[in-house]
Amino acid sequence: MDARVQNPADAGIGDLFSELVADGRNLVSAEVNLYKQIARYRVGKAKNGVIALVAGGFLAYAGLIAFLVGVVIGLADLIGPVLGGLAVLAVSGIVAFLLVRYGAGKMAALSGDEDEKAAIRAGESRA
């Protein structure tokens, strides 16, 4: 309570309203800070997933281009250039799908884990 108002019975309506506004501002500020901390926590947990996605993407792209060109050329003699290209496309598509699925699973950390959700529930029950 404000130091100016010692006894609520002695306070005027203006003083009480001013105190209510100040308390409201403090509450909103605390809520904003809480959500900032939650966002920072989630981004920190998802950072390794993003790094894995980018590194996996670059490595797959660089390594597979050379390999796939060689495979298509090798298959062209056996089954023709079009079917060789389609066969390589199917296999590389499966590998790409698995990498994207792994990365998307790591990004799920942005929605929070069970420890974080339990802490939020505990904080809300105290309020």
Side-chain angles (χ1 to χ4, degrees):
M1 191 183 299
D2 191 4
R4 295 177 290 140
V5 181
Q6 298 297 328
N7 186 356
D10 295 338
I13 190 105
D15 291 333
L16 291 175
F17 187 72
S18 296
E19 192 174 329
L20 177 65
V21 169
D23 288 346
R25 284 184 186 147
N26 290 338
L27 176 64
V28 169
S29 175
E31 288 285 329
V32 167
N33 287 333
L34 171 66
Y35 288 113
K36 282 181 184 177
Q37 291 298 324
I38 289 171
R40 285 186 188 121
Y41 175 77
R42 290 178 181 177
V43 168
K45 289 191 67 133
K47 183 174 57 173
N48 289 339
V50 172
I51 291 170
L53 278 174
V54 172
F58 282 136
L59 287 175
Y61 186 68
L64 284 178
I65 286 176
F67 175 72
L68 296 178
V69 168
V71 171
V72 169
I73 291 171
L75 288 175
D77 292 336
L78 299 173
I79 59 175
V82 174
L83 287 178
L86 288 175
V88 170
L89 175 65
V91 172
S92 63
I94 291 170
V95 171
F97 172 77
L98 293 174
L99 282 173
V100 168
R101 190 167 175 196
Y102 170 77
K106 289 295 185 180
M107 297 301 289
L110 291 174
S111 66
D113 59 9
E114 286 305 314
D115 292 337
E116 179 185 349
K117 290 176 184 176
I120 290 172
R121 282 191 300 270
E124 289 174 352
S125 67
R126 289 184 196 161

